[in-house]
Amino acid sequence: MAFTVTKDTVIGDIMDADENTAPFFMEMGMHCLYCPASRGETVEEACFVHGVDPEELIAKLNAHFAG
């Protein structure tokens, strides 16, 4: 079963599924990926805080997981 990211997917779940996704978050300015607060945020929440379009990040992450 492939991992699918939505706006409601929690950052910690994405990182647990594949730590190689870290650069996608780093490029949007989210450098505290391993702190408890950020691991509990959804993609939508993190994008809002960092001023990033969630749909763009979701597309990148899903492309990564699709291989």
Side-chain angles (χ1 to χ4, degrees):
M1 182 169 95
F3 191 88
T4 302
V5 178
T6 70
K7 65 182 176 76
D8 297 317
T9 306
V10 176
I11 303 296
D13 293 341
I14 297 168
M15 294 294 297
D16 290 344
D18 185 350
E19 284 194 1
N20 293 319
T21 57
F24 296 106
F25 297 102
M26 299 292 232
E27 75 180 23
M28 70 179 241
M30 189 173 186
H31 300 283
C32 58
L33 284 174
Y34 298 98
C35 74
S38 69
R39 285 189 56 84
E41 288 182 330
T42 65
V43 169
E44 184 175 50
E45 291 167 337
C47 286
F48 176 78
V49 169
H50 293 280
V52 174
D53 177 13
E55 296 305 321
E56 182 180 327
L57 179 60
I58 290 166
K60 287 179 182 181
L61 290 166
N62 282 327
H64 171 79
F65 281 110

CSV table of all heavy atoms in Angstrom, one decimal:
chain,number,residue,atom,x,y,z
A,1,MET,N,0.8,-1.2,0.0
A,1,MET,CA,0.0,0.0,0.0
A,1,MET,C,0.9,1.2,0.0
A,1,MET,O,1.8,1.4,0.8
A,1,MET,CB,-0.9,0.0,1.2
A,1,MET,CG,-1.8,1.1,1.3
A,1,MET,SD,-3.1,0.9,2.6
A,1,MET,CE,-2.3,1.8,3.9
A,2,ALA,N,0.6,2.1,-0.9
A,2,ALA,CA,1.4,3.4,-1.0
A,2,ALA,C,1.0,4.4,0.0
A,2,ALA,O,-0.2,4.4,0.5
A,2,ALA,CB,1.2,4.0,-2.4
A,3,PHE,N,1.9,5.2,0.4
A,3,PHE,CA,1.6,6.2,1.4
A,3,PHE,C,1.1,7.4,0.7
A,3,PHE,O,1.8,7.9,-0.3
A,3,PHE,CB,2.9,6.6,2.2
A,3,PHE,CG,2.7,7.5,3.4
A,3,PHE,CD1,2.4,6.9,4.6
A,3,PHE,CD2,2.8,8.8,3.3
A,3,PHE,CE1,2.2,7.7,5.7
A,3,PHE,CE2,2.6,9.7,4.4
A,3,PHE,CZ,2.3,9.1,5.6
A,4,THR,N,0.0,8.0,1.1
A,4,THR,CA,-0.6,9.1,0.4
A,4,THR,C,-0.7,10.3,1.4
A,4,THR,O,-1.2,10.1,2.5
A,4,THR,CB,-2.0,8.8,-0.2
A,4,THR,OG1,-1.9,7.7,-1.1
A,4,THR,CG2,-2.6,10.0,-0.9
A,5,VAL,N,-0.2,11.5,1.0
A,5,VAL,CA,-0.2,12.6,1.8
A,5,VAL,C,-1.4,13.5,1.5
A,5,VAL,O,-1.7,13.7,0.3
A,5,VAL,CB,1.1,13.5,1.6
A,5,VAL,CG1,1.1,14.7,2.5
A,5,VAL,CG2,2.3,12.6,2.0
A,6,THR,N,-2.1,14.0,2.5
A,6,THR,CA,-3.2,15.0,2.3
A,6,THR,C,-2.9,16.2,3.2
A,6,THR,O,-1.9,16.1,4.0
A,6,THR,CB,-4.6,14.4,2.7
A,6,THR,OG1,-4.6,14.2,4.1
A,6,THR,CG2,-4.8,13.0,2.0
A,7,LYS,N,-3.8,17.2,3.2
A,7,LYS,CA,-3.5,18.3,4.0
A,7,LYS,C,-3.7,18.0,5.5
A,7,LYS,O,-3.1,18.7,6.3
A,7,LYS,CB,-4.5,19.5,3.6
A,7,LYS,CG,-6.0,19.2,3.9
A,7,LYS,CD,-6.8,20.3,3.4
A,7,LYS,CE,-8.3,20.0,3.6
A,7,LYS,NZ,-8.8,20.1,4.9
A,8,ASP,N,-4.3,16.9,5.8
A,8,ASP,CA,-4.6,16.5,7.2
A,8,ASP,C,-3.5,15.4,7.7
A,8,ASP,O,-3.6,15.0,8.8
A,8,ASP,CB,-6.0,15.9,7.3
A,8,ASP,CG,-7.0,16.9,7.0
A,8,ASP,OD1,-6.9,18.0,7.5
A,8,ASP,OD2,-8.0,16.5,6.3
A,9,THR,N,-2.6,15.1,6.8
A,9,THR,CA,-1.5,14.1,7.2
A,9,THR,C,-0.6,14.8,8.2
A,9,THR,O,-0.2,15.9,8.0
A,9,THR,CB,-0.7,13.6,6.0
A,9,THR,OG1,-1.6,13.1,5.0
A,9,THR,CG2,0.2,12.5,6.4
A,10,VAL,N,-0.2,14.1,9.3
A,10,VAL,CA,0.6,14.6,10.3
A,10,VAL,C,2.1,14.5,9.9
A,10,VAL,O,2.5,13.5,9.3
A,10,VAL,CB,0.4,13.9,11.6
A,10,VAL,CG1,1.3,14.4,12.7
A,10,VAL,CG2,-1.1,14.1,12.1
A,11,ILE,N,2.9,15.6,10.1
A,11,ILE,CA,4.3,15.6,9.7
A,11,ILE,C,5.0,14.4,10.2
A,11,ILE,O,5.8,13.8,9.5
A,11,ILE,CB,5.0,16.9,10.1
A,11,ILE,CG1,4.2,18.1,9.6
A,11,ILE,CG2,6.4,16.9,9.8
A,11,ILE,CD1,4.2,18.3,8.1
A,12,GLY,N,4.8,14.1,11.5
A,12,GLY,CA,5.5,12.9,12.1
A,12,GLY,C,5.2,11.6,11.4
A,12,GLY,O,6.1,10.8,11.2
A,13,ASP,N,4.0,11.5,10.9
A,13,ASP,CA,3.6,10.2,10.1
A,13,ASP,C,4.4,10.2,8.8
A,13,ASP,O,4.8,9.1,8.4
A,13,ASP,CB,2.1,10.2,9.9
A,13,ASP,CG,1.3,10.0,11.2
A,13,ASP,OD1,1.9,9.6,12.2
A,13,ASP,OD2,0.1,10.3,11.1
A,14,ILE,N,4.6,11.3,8.2
A,14,ILE,CA,5.3,11.4,6.9
A,14,ILE,C,6.8,11.1,7.2
A,14,ILE,O,7.4,10.2,6.5
A,14,ILE,CB,5.2,12.8,6.3
A,14,ILE,CG1,3.7,13.1,5.9
A,14,ILE,CG2,6.1,12.9,5.0
A,14,ILE,CD1,3.5,14.5,5.5
A,15,MET,N,7.3,11.7,8.2
A,15,MET,CA,8.7,11.4,8.5
A,15,MET,C,9.0,10.0,9.0
A,15,MET,O,10.0,9.4,8.6
A,15,MET,CB,9.2,12.4,9.6
A,15,MET,CG,9.2,13.8,9.2
A,15,MET,SD,10.5,14.1,8.0
A,15,MET,CE,12.0,13.7,8.9
A,16,ASP,N,8.0,9.4,9.7
A,16,ASP,CA,8.1,8.0,10.1
A,16,ASP,C,8.1,7.1,8.8
A,16,ASP,O,8.7,6.0,8.8
A,16,ASP,CB,7.0,7.6,11.1
A,16,ASP,CG,7.2,8.2,12.4
A,16,ASP,OD1,8.4,8.7,12.7
A,16,ASP,OD2,6.3,8.2,13.2
A,17,ALA,N,7.3,7.4,7.8
A,17,ALA,CA,7.1,6.6,6.6
A,17,ALA,C,8.4,6.7,5.8
A,17,ALA,O,8.8,5.7,5.2
A,17,ALA,CB,5.9,7.1,5.8
A,18,ASP,N,9.0,7.9,5.8
A,18,ASP,CA,10.3,8.0,5.0
A,18,ASP,C,11.0,9.3,5.4
A,18,ASP,O,10.6,10.4,5.0
A,18,ASP,CB,9.9,8.1,3.5
A,18,ASP,CG,11.1,8.1,2.6
A,18,ASP,OD1,12.3,8.3,3.1
A,18,ASP,OD2,10.9,8.0,1.3
A,19,GLU,N,12.1,9.1,6.1
A,19,GLU,CA,12.9,10.2,6.6
A,19,GLU,C,13.5,11.0,5.4
A,19,GLU,O,14.0,12.1,5.6
A,19,GLU,CB,13.9,9.8,7.6
A,19,GLU,CG,13.4,9.5,8.9
A,19,GLU,CD,14.4,9.4,10.0
A,19,GLU,OE1,15.6,9.6,9.7
A,19,GLU,OE2,14.0,9.2,11.2
A,20,ASN,N,13.6,10.4,4.2
A,20,ASN,CA,14.1,11.1,3.0
A,20,ASN,C,13.2,12.2,2.6
A,20,ASN,O,13.6,12.9,1.6
A,20,ASN,CB,14.4,10.1,1.9
A,20,ASN,CG,15.5,9.1,2.3
A,20,ASN,OD1,16.5,9.5,2.8
A,20,ASN,ND2,15.3,7.8,1.9
A,21,THR,N,12.1,12.4,3.2
A,21,THR,CA,11.2,13.5,2.9
A,21,THR,C,11.6,14.8,3.5
A,21,THR,O,11.1,15.9,3.2
A,21,THR,CB,9.7,13.2,3.2
A,21,THR,OG1,9.7,12.9,4.6
A,21,THR,CG2,9.2,12.0,2.4
A,22,ALA,N,12.6,14.7,4.5
A,22,ALA,CA,13.0,15.9,5.2
A,22,ALA,C,13.4,17.1,4.3
A,22,ALA,O,13.0,18.2,4.6
A,22,ALA,CB,14.2,15.5,6.1
A,23,PRO,N,14.1,16.9,3.2
A,23,PRO,CA,14.5,18.1,2.4
A,23,PRO,C,13.2,18.8,1.9
A,23,PRO,O,13.3,20.0,1.7
A,23,PRO,CB,15.2,17.4,1.2
A,23,PRO,CG,15.8,16.2,1.8
A,23,PRO,CD,14.8,15.7,2.7
A,24,PHE,N,12.1,18.2,1.7
A,24,PHE,CA,10.9,18.9,1.2
A,24,PHE,C,10.5,19.9,2.3
A,24,PHE,O,10.0,21.0,1.9
A,24,PHE,CB,9.8,17.9,0.9
A,24,PHE,CG,10.1,17.0,-0.3
A,24,PHE,CD1,10.4,15.6,0.0
A,24,PHE,CD2,10.1,17.4,-1.6
A,24,PHE,CE1,10.7,14.8,-1.1
A,24,PHE,CE2,10.4,16.6,-2.6
A,24,PHE,CZ,10.7,15.3,-2.4
A,25,PHE,N,10.6,19.5,3.5
A,25,PHE,CA,10.2,20.4,4.6
A,25,PHE,C,11.2,21.5,4.8
A,25,PHE,O,10.9,22.6,5.1
A,25,PHE,CB,9.9,19.6,5.9
A,25,PHE,CG,8.8,18.7,5.7
A,25,PHE,CD1,9.0,17.3,5.6
A,25,PHE,CD2,7.5,19.1,5.8
A,25,PHE,CE1,8.0,16.4,5.4
A,25,PHE,CE2,6.4,18.2,5.6
A,25,PHE,CZ,6.6,16.9,5.4
A,26,MET,N,12.5,21.1,4.7
A,26,MET,CA,13.6,22.1,4.9
A,26,MET,C,13.5,23.2,3.9
A,26,MET,O,13.8,24.3,4.2
A,26,MET,CB,14.9,21.3,4.8
A,26,MET,CG,15.1,20.3,5.9
A,26,MET,SD,15.3,21.0,7.5
A,26,MET,CE,16.8,20.2,8.0
A,27,GLU,N,13.2,22.8,2.6
A,27,GLU,CA,13.2,23.9,1.6
A,27,GLU,C,12.1,24.9,1.8
A,27,GLU,O,12.1,26.0,1.3
A,27,GLU,CB,13.2,23.3,0.2
A,27,GLU,CG,11.8,22.7,-0.2
A,27,GLU,CD,11.9,22.1,-1.6
A,27,GLU,OE1,13.0,21.7,-2.1
A,27,GLU,OE2,10.8,22.0,-2.2
A,28,MET,N,11.0,24.5,2.6
A,28,MET,CA,10.0,25.4,2.9
A,28,MET,C,10.2,26.2,4.2
A,28,MET,O,9.4,27.0,4.6
A,28,MET,CB,8.6,24.7,2.9
A,28,MET,CG,8.4,23.8,4.1
A,28,MET,SD,6.7,23.1,4.1
A,28,MET,CE,6.1,23.7,5.6
A,29,GLY,N,11.4,26.0,4.8
A,29,GLY,CA,11.8,26.7,6.0
A,29,GLY,C,11.4,26.0,7.3
A,29,GLY,O,11.6,26.6,8.4
A,30,MET,N,11.0,24.8,7.2
A,30,MET,CA,10.7,24.0,8.4
A,30,MET,C,11.9,23.2,8.8
A,30,MET,O,12.1,22.1,8.4
A,30,MET,CB,9.5,23.1,8.1
A,30,MET,CG,8.9,22.4,9.3
A,30,MET,SD,7.4,21.5,8.9
A,30,MET,CE,6.9,21.0,10.5
A,31,HIS,N,12.7,23.8,9.7
A,31,HIS,CA,14.0,23.2,10.1
A,31,HIS,C,13.9,22.5,11.4
A,31,HIS,O,14.9,21.8,11.8
A,31,HIS,CB,15.1,24.3,10.2
A,31,HIS,CG,15.3,25.0,8.9
A,31,HIS,ND1,16.0,24.5,7.8
A,31,HIS,CD2,14.8,26.2,8.4
A,31,HIS,CE1,15.9,25.3,6.8
A,31,HIS,NE2,15.3,26.4,7.1
A,32,CYS,N,12.8,22.5,12.1
A,32,CYS,CA,12.7,21.8,13.4
A,32,CYS,C,11.8,20.6,13.2
A,32,CYS,O,10.9,20.3,14.0
A,32,CYS,CB,12.1,22.8,14.4
A,32,CYS,SG,10.5,23.4,14.0
A,33,LEU,N,12.1,19.7,12.2
A,33,LEU,CA,11.3,18.6,11.9
A,33,LEU,C,11.2,17.6,13.0
A,33,LEU,O,10.3,16.8,13.1
A,33,LEU,CB,11.9,17.9,10.7
A,33,LEU,CG,11.6,18.5,9.4
A,33,LEU,CD1,12.4,17.8,8.3
A,33,LEU,CD2,10.2,18.5,9.1
A,34,TYR,N,12.2,17.5,13.9
A,34,TYR,CA,12.2,16.4,14.9
A,34,TYR,C,11.7,16.9,16.3
A,34,TYR,O,11.7,16.2,17.2
A,34,TYR,CB,13.6,15.8,15.0
A,34,TYR,CG,14.0,15.2,13.7
A,34,TYR,CD1,14.8,15.8,12.8
A,34,TYR,CD2,13.5,13.9,13.4
A,34,TYR,CE1,15.1,15.3,11.5
A,34,TYR,CE2,13.8,13.3,12.1
A,34,TYR,CZ,14.6,14.0,11.2
A,34,TYR,OH,14.9,13.4,10.0
A,35,CYS,N,11.3,18.2,16.4
A,35,CYS,CA,10.8,18.6,17.7
A,35,CYS,C,9.4,18.1,17.8
A,35,CYS,O,8.7,18.0,16.8
A,35,CYS,CB,10.9,20.2,17.8
A,35,CYS,SG,9.8,21.1,16.9
A,36,PRO,N,8.9,17.9,19.0
A,36,PRO,CA,7.6,17.3,19.2
A,36,PRO,C,6.5,18.1,18.6
A,36,PRO,O,5.5,17.6,18.1
A,36,PRO,CB,7.5,17.2,20.7
A,36,PRO,CG,8.9,17.1,21.2
A,36,PRO,CD,9.7,18.0,20.3
A,37,ALA,N,6.6,19.5,18.7
A,37,ALA,CA,5.5,20.3,18.2
A,37,ALA,C,5.3,20.1,16.7
A,37,ALA,O,4.2,20.0,16.2
A,37,ALA,CB,5.7,21.8,18.5
A,38,SER,N,6.4,20.2,15.9
A,38,SER,CA,6.3,20.1,14.5
A,38,SER,C,5.9,18.7,14.1
A,38,SER,O,5.1,18.5,13.1
A,38,SER,CB,7.6,20.5,13.8
A,38,SER,OG,8.6,19.5,14.0
A,39,ARG,N,6.3,17.7,14.8
A,39,ARG,CA,5.9,16.3,14.4
A,39,ARG,C,4.4,16.1,14.6
A,39,ARG,O,3.8,15.2,13.9
A,39,ARG,CB,6.7,15.3,15.3
A,39,ARG,CG,8.1,15.1,14.8
A,39,ARG,CD,8.8,14.0,15.5
A,39,ARG,NE,8.1,12.7,15.4
A,39,ARG,CZ,8.3,11.9,14.3
A,39,ARG,NH1,9.1,12.2,13.3
A,39,ARG,NH2,7.7,10.7,14.3
A,40,GLY,N,3.8,16.9,15.4
A,40,GLY,CA,2.3,16.8,15.6
A,40,GLY,C,1.5,17.6,14.7
A,40,GLY,O,0.2,17.5,14.7
A,41,GLU,N,2.1,18.5,13.9
A,41,GLU,CA,1.4,19.4,13.0
A,41,GLU,C,0.9,18.6,11.7
A,41,GLU,O,1.6,17.7,11.3
A,41,GLU,CB,2.2,20.5,12.5
A,41,GLU,CG,2.5,21.6,13.5
A,41,GLU,CD,3.4,22.7,13.0
A,41,GLU,OE1,4.2,22.5,12.1
A,41,GLU,OE2,3.2,23.8,13.5
A,42,THR,N,-0.2,19.1,11.2
A,42,THR,CA,-0.6,18.6,9.9
A,42,THR,C,0.1,19.3,8.8
A,42,THR,O,0.7,20.4,9.1
A,42,THR,CB,-2.1,18.7,9.7
A,42,THR,OG1,-2.4,20.1,9.6
A,42,THR,CG2,-2.9,18.0,10.7
A,43,VAL,N,0.1,18.8,7.6
A,43,VAL,CA,0.7,19.5,6.5
A,43,VAL,C,0.1,20.9,6.3
A,43,VAL,O,0.8,21.9,6.1
A,43,VAL,CB,0.5,18.7,5.2
A,43,VAL,CG1,0.9,19.5,3.9
A,43,VAL,CG2,1.4,17.4,5.2
A,44,GLU,N,-1.2,21.0,6.4
A,44,GLU,CA,-1.9,22.2,6.3
A,44,GLU,C,-1.4,23.2,7.3
A,44,GLU,O,-1.2,24.4,7.0
A,44,GLU,CB,-3.4,22.0,6.3
A,44,GLU,CG,-4.2,23.3,6.1
A,44,GLU,CD,-5.7,23.1,6.1
A,44,GLU,OE1,-6.2,22.4,7.0
A,44,GLU,OE2,-6.3,23.5,5.1
A,45,GLU,N,-1.3,22.8,8.6
A,45,GLU,CA,-0.9,23.7,9.7
A,45,GLU,C,0.5,24.2,9.4
A,45,GLU,O,0.8,25.4,9.6
A,45,GLU,CB,-1.0,23.0,11.0
A,45,GLU,CG,-2.4,22.7,11.4
A,45,GLU,CD,-2.5,21.7,12.6
A,45,GLU,OE1,-1.6,20.9,12.8
A,45,GLU,OE2,-3.5,21.8,13.3
A,46,ALA,N,1.4,23.3,9.1
A,46,ALA,CA,2.8,23.6,8.8
A,46,ALA,C,2.9,24.6,7.7
A,46,ALA,O,3.7,25.6,7.8
A,46,ALA,CB,3.6,22.4,8.6
A,47,CYS,N,2.2,24.4,6.6
A,47,CYS,CA,2.3,25.3,5.4
A,47,CYS,C,1.7,26.6,5.8
A,47,CYS,O,2.3,27.7,5.4
A,47,CYS,CB,1.5,24.7,4.3
A,47,CYS,SG,2.4,23.3,3.5
A,48,PHE,N,0.7,26.7,6.6
A,48,PHE,CA,0.1,28.0,7.0
A,48,PHE,C,1.1,28.8,7.8
A,48,PHE,O,1.4,30.0,7.5
A,48,PHE,CB,-1.2,27.8,7.8
A,48,PHE,CG,-1.7,29.1,8.3
A,48,PHE,CD1,-2.5,29.9,7.5
A,48,PHE,CD2,-1.5,29.5,9.6
A,48,PHE,CE1,-3.0,31.1,8.0
A,48,PHE,CE2,-2.0,30.7,10.1
A,48,PHE,CZ,-2.8,31.5,9.3
A,49,VAL,N,1.8,28.2,8.7
A,49,VAL,CA,2.8,28.9,9.6
A,49,VAL,C,4.0,29.4,8.7
A,49,VAL,O,4.5,30.4,9.0
A,49,VAL,CB,3.3,27.9,10.7
A,49,VAL,CG1,4.5,28.5,11.4
A,49,VAL,CG2,2.2,27.6,11.7
A,50,HIS,N,4.4,28.6,7.7
A,50,HIS,CA,5.5,28.9,6.9
A,50,HIS,C,5.2,29.6,5.6
A,50,HIS,O,6.1,29.9,4.8
A,50,HIS,CB,6.4,27.6,6.7
A,50,HIS,CG,7.0,27.1,7.9
A,50,HIS,ND1,8.1,27.6,8.5
A,50,HIS,CD2,6.6,26.1,8.8
A,50,HIS,CE1,8.4,27.0,9.6
A,50,HIS,NE2,7.5,26.1,9.8
A,51,GLY,N,3.9,29.9,5.4
A,51,GLY,CA,3.6,30.7,4.2
A,51,GLY,C,3.8,29.9,2.9
A,51,GLY,O,4.2,30.5,1.9
A,52,VAL,N,3.5,28.6,2.9
A,52,VAL,CA,3.7,27.8,1.8
A,52,VAL,C,2.3,27.2,1.3
A,52,VAL,O,1.5,26.9,2.1
A,52,VAL,CB,4.6,26.6,2.1
A,52,VAL,CG1,4.8,25.6,1.0
A,52,VAL,CG2,6.0,27.1,2.5
A,53,ASP,N,2.2,27.1,0.0
A,53,ASP,CA,1.0,26.5,-0.6
A,53,ASP,C,1.0,25.0,-0.3
A,53,ASP,O,1.8,24.3,-0.7
A,53,ASP,CB,1.0,26.7,-2.1
A,53,ASP,CG,-0.2,26.1,-2.8
A,53,ASP,OD1,-1.2,25.7,-2.1
A,53,ASP,OD2,-0.2,26.0,-4.0
A,54,PRO,N,0.0,24.5,0.5
A,54,PRO,CA,0.0,23.1,0.9
A,54,PRO,C,-0.2,22.2,-0.3
A,54,PRO,O,0.4,21.1,-0.3
A,54,PRO,CB,-1.2,23.0,1.8
A,54,PRO,CG,-2.0,24.2,1.7
A,54,PRO,CD,-1.1,25.3,1.1
A,55,GLU,N,-0.9,22.6,-1.3
A,55,GLU,CA,-1.1,21.8,-2.5
A,55,GLU,C,0.2,21.5,-3.2
A,55,GLU,O,0.4,20.4,-3.7
A,55,GLU,CB,-2.1,22.4,-3.4
A,55,GLU,CG,-3.5,22.5,-2.9
A,55,GLU,CD,-4.1,21.1,-2.3
A,55,GLU,OE1,-3.9,20.1,-3.0
A,55,GLU,OE2,-4.7,21.2,-1.3
A,56,GLU,N,1.1,22.5,-3.2
A,56,GLU,CA,2.4,22.3,-3.9
A,56,GLU,C,3.2,21.3,-3.1
A,56,GLU,O,3.9,20.4,-3.7
A,56,GLU,CB,3.1,23.7,-3.9
A,56,GLU,CG,4.5,23.6,-4.6
A,56,GLU,CD,5.1,25.0,-4.7
A,56,GLU,OE1,4.4,26.0,-4.7
A,56,GLU,OE2,6.4,25.0,-4.6
A,57,LEU,N,3.3,21.4,-1.8
A,57,LEU,CA,4.0,20.5,-1.0
A,57,LEU,C,3.4,19.1,-1.0
A,57,LEU,O,4.2,18.1,-1.2
A,57,LEU,CB,4.1,20.9,0.5
A,57,LEU,CG,4.8,20.0,1.5
A,57,LEU,CD1,6.3,19.8,1.0
A,57,LEU,CD2,4.7,20.5,2.9
A,58,ILE,N,2.1,19.0,-1.0
A,58,ILE,CA,1.4,17.7,-1.1
A,58,ILE,C,1.8,17.0,-2.4
A,58,ILE,O,2.1,15.8,-2.4
A,58,ILE,CB,-0.1,17.8,-0.9
A,58,ILE,CG1,-0.4,18.2,0.5
A,58,ILE,CG2,-0.8,16.6,-1.3
A,58,ILE,CD1,-1.8,18.7,0.7
A,59,ALA,N,1.8,17.7,-3.5
A,59,ALA,CA,2.1,17.2,-4.8
A,59,ALA,C,3.6,16.6,-4.8
A,59,ALA,O,3.8,15.5,-5.3
A,59,ALA,CB,1.9,18.2,-5.9
A,60,LYS,N,4.5,17.4,-4.3
A,60,LYS,CA,5.9,17.0,-4.2
A,60,LYS,C,6.0,15.7,-3.4
A,60,LYS,O,6.8,14.8,-3.8
A,60,LYS,CB,6.8,18.1,-3.6
A,60,LYS,CG,7.0,19.2,-4.5
A,60,LYS,CD,7.9,20.3,-3.8
A,60,LYS,CE,8.1,21.5,-4.7
A,60,LYS,NZ,8.9,22.5,-4.0
A,61,LEU,N,5.4,15.7,-2.2
A,61,LEU,CA,5.5,14.5,-1.3
A,61,LEU,C,4.9,13.3,-1.9
A,61,LEU,O,5.5,12.2,-1.9
A,61,LEU,CB,4.9,14.8,0.0
A,61,LEU,CG,5.6,15.8,0.9
A,61,LEU,CD1,4.8,16.3,2.1
A,61,LEU,CD2,6.9,15.2,1.4
A,62,ASN,N,3.7,13.4,-2.6
A,62,ASN,CA,3.1,12.3,-3.2
A,62,ASN,C,3.9,11.8,-4.4
A,62,ASN,O,3.9,10.6,-4.6
A,62,ASN,CB,1.6,12.6,-3.5
A,62,ASN,CG,0.7,12.5,-2.3
A,62,ASN,OD1,0.9,11.8,-1.4
A,62,ASN,ND2,-0.3,13.4,-2.3
A,63,ALA,N,4.5,12.7,-5.1
A,63,ALA,CA,5.4,12.2,-6.2
A,63,ALA,C,6.5,11.4,-5.7
A,63,ALA,O,6.9,10.4,-6.2
A,63,ALA,CB,5.8,13.5,-7.0
A,64,HIS,N,7.1,11.9,-4.6
A,64,HIS,CA,8.2,11.2,-3.9
A,64,HIS,C,7.8,9.8,-3.5
A,64,HIS,O,8.5,8.8,-3.8
A,64,HIS,CB,8.7,12.0,-2.7
A,64,HIS,CG,9.7,11.2,-1.9
A,64,HIS,ND1,11.0,11.1,-2.2
A,64,HIS,CD2,9.5,10.5,-0.7
A,64,HIS,CE1,11.6,10.4,-1.3
A,64,HIS,NE2,10.8,10.0,-0.4
A,65,PHE,N,6.6,9.7,-2.8
A,65,PHE,CA,6.2,8.4,-2.4
A,65,PHE,C,5.8,7.5,-3.5
A,65,PHE,O,5.9,6.2,-3.4
A,65,PHE,CB,5.0,8.5,-1.4
A,65,PHE,CG,5.5,8.9,0.0
A,65,PHE,CD1,5.2,10.2,0.5
A,65,PHE,CD2,6.1,8.0,0.8
A,65,PHE,CE1,5.6,10.5,1.8
A,65,PHE,CE2,6.6,8.3,2.1
A,65,PHE,CZ,6.3,9.6,2.6
A,66,ALA,N,5.4,8.1,-4.7
A,66,ALA,CA,5.0,7.3,-5.8
A,66,ALA,C,6.2,6.7,-6.5
A,66,ALA,O,6.1,5.7,-7.3
A,66,ALA,CB,4.2,8.1,-6.8
A,67,GLY,N,7.4,7.3,-6.2
A,67,GLY,CA,8.6,6.8,-6.8
A,67,GLY,C,8.9,7.4,-8.1
A,67,GLY,O,9.7,7.0,-8.9
